[in-house]
Amino acid sequence: MAHLSEGTLRRMVDEPDANAGADARHLETCTECKARYETVAGDARAITSLLAAPELKVDVASAFNRVRSAPAARPRFGFRLPVMRPGSRPVVLAFAATIALAGLVVTAIAQGGSIFTPTTVEPVPVTVADIQALSQLSAYGNLTWTTKPNLQIVTSAAEAESVSGLKPPTANNLPAAISKNVTYAATPKAVAVFTFSKDKAAAAAAGAGKNLPALPSGMDGAQLTVTAGPAVAEIFGNMTAPKAGTDITQAGVPTLIIVKSSAPVATSTQVTVQQLEDYLLSVPGISPELTNAIKAIGPGGTTLPVPVPVEFATSSKVTVQDVAGVGLGDNTGVGAGVIWVKGGSVYAVVGTIKLSDALDIANHLT
Amino acid sequence: MASLRSDEESFEALFTAEYARVAGIANRVLADPHEAEDVAQEVFIDFHRLHSASAQYAPAWLHRAAAHTALNRLRGARRRQRREIAQATEEMDRTADPQKLLEVNEDRRQVRQALARLAPRPAAVLVLRASGLSYAEVAQALGVGIGQVGTLLRRAEAALRKEVVRGTSI
């Protein structure tokens, strides 16, 4: 019998039973093949250790929920914006979390009265774990979208305006390094309602082995409604749509994003949001991270809190367009941004640029 | 009865059965659990949009897509830079011995750079096998005969070693 091929020997290393029979008998008796087998096995072991990876612990249930909540409709060009993909790390996470959360859940628990519209912004240092803990609010009530966000990628400023009703801002002073290719994204307004549930909160308290503290009048079924948007974004960068079937991550990474959104509005029924917040903090079993998130954000008033993940970004107070704003310069030097509120709209300029450039662009925005 | 299951139920069953493995393949490529889960979720979303979850080829499609999507990310220079920063920051928090951490990171970085330089098929065969797929599963994912897997793997291992050596000797 001829000697065993390298491929056969390689498989015998991994799956000894697969080649039982003639091949196995040959290996038993052939010293040359035995020696080659040892070499192949040694190489295989070396490669296995080369390809060692850090331990991966997955939570299949929560991963499934994230995938299920991904937008159902395919965007028009068949690709999603890398910067808006949930969980992209790390710099993008800081910006995405900042913008998205500032508009929604955070606003909801920030306000002190029963109606809240922000007129200024304030940086709030939090950790990513704190932000993620906000999803635990679902243990105390039901969060539903009465109008879901419907982000669309469009080709022109006019189309973006027809989707959102907002005229995209004009950037008059772009650094030379910024691509002149602009992609527009727009969404009509979105409305989310959080309904506090006595039963759910009681179950959460029972999970900690405690009873629920006495409910203030009107607390059960109290509703918090948050309206975010409409919003329009201009994305500067070579965002060429990849050919069908190719990997979407091959779409270019944007170098600059300018966002204009109507300032979010929150209203509550039956109780003030301050009461709801105080009560939530008194429920047994609430995690330290969620407590941090709620405490860091309150008391609000007319200030829109901008959560800044301390792991990834530093924040500073800046003046932009003659109003107070939040400057973001991340620790890696990879990107920066400015966020401010003016005339009932929230604006953001973020990108892979220096903070001074972001301020310059922001100040010349019309 | 399986045949009466809705596509949503089939998708959930497929997700439950395959998610850990799909994320594992991406993690083998990227050596970054966070980004690996990003890739895994992206792969499932793309699959769900275009394919039926009860399709026979579903696991093989997912395995191949996980390997190729992760390898594409690995080849993106900007992403690699960001990932290394994130990884180093996170691991600094967890590890007591910074010197050892630096060494491990440097080794991983070199191996991943070498992996990124390999042609797509040898790179995929290495990571699929290293992620615990059987020869039959690797063959299905790559659309080759099972008898070819051993040969492909052996050649890919030699190619990776060569690239690692080349990377460290520059």
Side-chain angles (χ1 to χ4, degrees), chain A residues 50, chain B residues 103 105-114 117 160-170:
Chain A
L50 275 181
Chain B
E103 287 166 14
N105 275 350
E106 182 57 20
D107 288 351
R108 273 189 201 149
R109 193 181 62 78
Q110 284 174 359
V111 172
R112 265 69 202 180
Q113 280 183 351
R117 288 195 296 269
L160 180 65
R161 282 178 79 111
K162 207 169 134 188
E163 283 298 338
V164 170
V165 171
R166 194 163 77 94
T168 49
S169 61
I170 289 171

Side-chain angles (χ1 to χ4, degrees), chain A residues 7-364:
Chain A
T8 303
L9 288 169
R10 181 65 188 82
R11 188 171 183 194
M12 290 172 93
V13 171
D14 282 340
E15 299 187 342
D17 298 337
N19 289 41
D23 289 345
R25 282 196 298 279
H26 177 88
L27 185 63
E28 286 280 303
T29 54
C30 176
T31 47
E32 190 183 328
C33 282
K34 255 189 190 163
R36 286 169 57 229
Y37 175 88
E38 290 307 325
T39 308
V40 169
D43 288 352
R45 280 194 298 273
I47 294 292
T48 303
S49 83
L50 275 181
L51 286 174
E55 190 187 3
L56 172 74
K57 288 182 190 153
V58 297
D59 178 349
V60 177
S62 61
F64 184 68
N65 286 337
R66 282 197 293 278
V67 167
R68 281 289 295 274
S69 59
R74 275 177 84 73
R76 284 187 197 188
F77 289 158
F79 69 96
R80 287 169 288 137
L81 301 177
V83 75
M84 296 185 182
R85 196 163 49 230
S88 292
R89 283 157 219 280
V91 176
V92 170
L93 174 69
F95 294 141
T98 298
I99 294 165
L101 285 171
L104 282 173
V105 184
V106 172
T107 312
I109 53 177
Q111 51 145 325
S114 60
I115 292 189
F116 167 72
T117 49
T119 55
T120 185
V121 285
E122 179 83 19
V124 177
V126 292
T127 67
V128 172
D130 293 342
I131 292 178
Q132 287 167 343
L134 285 170
S135 64
Q136 296 164 12
L137 278 177
S138 60
Y140 306 97
N142 299 305
L143 185 68
T144 55
W145 293 96
T146 53
T147 310
K148 282 192 179 181
N150 181 20
L151 187 70
Q152 297 175 39
I153 310 298
V154 294
T155 50
S156 69
E159 213 178 336
E161 189 173 351
S162 78
V163 169
S164 64
L166 293 177
K167 190 170 160 34
T170 307
N172 298 301
N173 201 18
L174 289 181
I178 301 288
S179 165
K180 298 291 179 288
N181 284 350
V182 187
T183 307
Y184 295 88
T187 175
K189 75 172 179 185
V191 182
V193 179
F194 177 77
T195 309
F196 182 82
S197 158
K198 183 181 78 175
D199 293 343
K200 274 196 155 188
K210 303 271 175 60
N211 290 323
L212 203 59
L215 280 171
S217 144
M219 184 62 75
D220 189 26
Q223 286 196 329
L224 188 66
T225 303
V226 181
T227 305
V232 61
E234 293 161 297
I235 301 126
F236 295 80
N238 296 316
M239 301 287 296
T240 47
K243 284 180 199 147
T246 56
D247 174 19
I248 60 153
T249 61
Q250 295 306 295
V253 175
T255 50
L256 175 70
I257 298 183
I258 298 176
V259 180
K260 177 184 181 182
S261 168
S262 289
V265 178
T267 57
S268 66
T269 61
Q270 305 187 41
V271 293
T272 67
V273 177
Q274 189 65 53
Q275 282 176 299
L276 185 55
E277 182 183 318
D278 290 347
Y279 188 74
L280 273 177
L281 290 174
S282 74
V283 174
I286 190 167
S287 73
E289 289 81 13
L290 183 55
T291 306
N292 284 345
I294 294 175
K295 280 188 174 165
I297 289 156
T302 56
T303 302
L304 177 67
V306 177
V308 180
V310 291
E311 295 94 328
F312 299 122
T314 54
S315 64
S316 52
K317 291 185 180 183
V318 294
T319 301
V320 51
Q321 303 237 359
D322 300 322
V323 300
V326 172
L328 299 170
D330 72 275
N331 298 330
T332 61
V334 175
V338 187
I339 298 173
W340 71 102
V341 176
K342 193 174 183 183
S345 292
V346 182
Y347 295 85
V349 172
V350 296
T352 49
I353 50 177
K354 290 188 287 191
L355 182 58
S356 56
D357 290 336
L359 268 170
D360 201 40
I361 296 167
N363 277 320
H364 289 87

Side-chain angles (χ1 to χ4, degrees), chain B residues 81-140:
Chain B
Q81 185 191 4
R82 290 179 193 174
R83 187 174 52 251
E84 280 163 11
I85 292 162
Q87 216 170 294
T89 315
E90 278 181 24
E91 296 196 9
M92 279 295 181
D93 294 342
R94 288 200 305 263
T95 313
D97 183 349
Q99 181 59 37
K100 186 154 186 281
L101 173 71
L102 284 177
E103 287 166 14
V104 170
N105 275 350
E106 182 57 20
D107 288 351
R108 273 189 201 149
R109 193 181 62 78
Q110 284 174 359
V111 172
R112 265 69 202 180
Q113 280 183 351
L115 196 59
R117 288 195 296 269
L118 291 189
R121 192 154 81 169
V125 77
L126 282 174
V127 298
L128 291 173
R129 178 60 202 150
S131 306
L133 267 67
S134 70
Y135 277 48
E137 289 169 322
V138 172
Q140 277 170 357

